[in-house]
Amino acid sequence: VQLVDSGGGLVQPGGSLRLSCAASGFTFKYYTMKWYRRAPGKERELVATITGTGGSTNYTDSVKGRFTISRDNSKNTMYLQINSLKPDDTAVYYCNTRLGDYDYWGQGTQVTVSS
């Protein structure tokens, strides 16, 4: 199982980014996928969840209306569109999936929101 995060960067407040998570080594379409983030000095936070078909999504309250999680099962890839970025969104963002008893993680992609 391999998850590869990408798409982070430095962006001004109010800007946008699209994060990607490329998955391999398992049957992607069958598994719920998640985005987490860890801000400096804070605990890891679950940001968004999407079911295998993409038919159901959930978001933490602080990102509702600004973040959109999606997936393309034909490309084994998950996305996180993040709009109206705020300095509080600065964090390392990780994709995650759970297969049986094991959690698998991407390497993380840094998002920095600063003017």
Side-chain angles (χ1 to χ4, degrees), residues 1-96:
V1 174
Q2 186 175 24
L3 301 174
V4 179
D5 303 320
S6 63
L10 173 63
V11 63
Q12 293 186 343
S16 299
L17 285 171
R18 189 175 81 154
L19 308 184
S20 298
C21 172
S24 61
F26 64 105
T27 308
F28 181 71
K29 64 182 179 180
Y30 291 151
Y31 291 92
T32 292
M33 298 291 296
K34 301 178 181 181
W35 284 103
Y36 284 82
R37 65 184 179 185
R38 187 188 297 272
K42 295 185 178 180
E43 295 186 354
R44 186 174 59 205
E45 175 187 30
L46 175 60
V47 174
T49 302
I50 186 167
T51 55
T53 62
S56 179
T57 58
N58 281 288
Y59 301 90
T60 192
D61 286 346
S62 63
V63 308
K64 286 180 180 177
R66 299 189 299 120
F67 288 21
T68 303
I69 190 172
S70 63
R71 64 193 295 161
D72 185 341
N73 287 344
S74 71
K75 296 181 179 179
N76 287 357
T77 302
M78 174 178 68
Y79 304 98
L80 187 68
Q81 178 68 42
I82 47 181
N83 299 327
S84 302
L85 277 160
K86 305 175 181 179
D88 284 351
D89 296 318
T90 295
V92 180
Y93 286 72
Y94 300 90
C95 66
N96 163 273

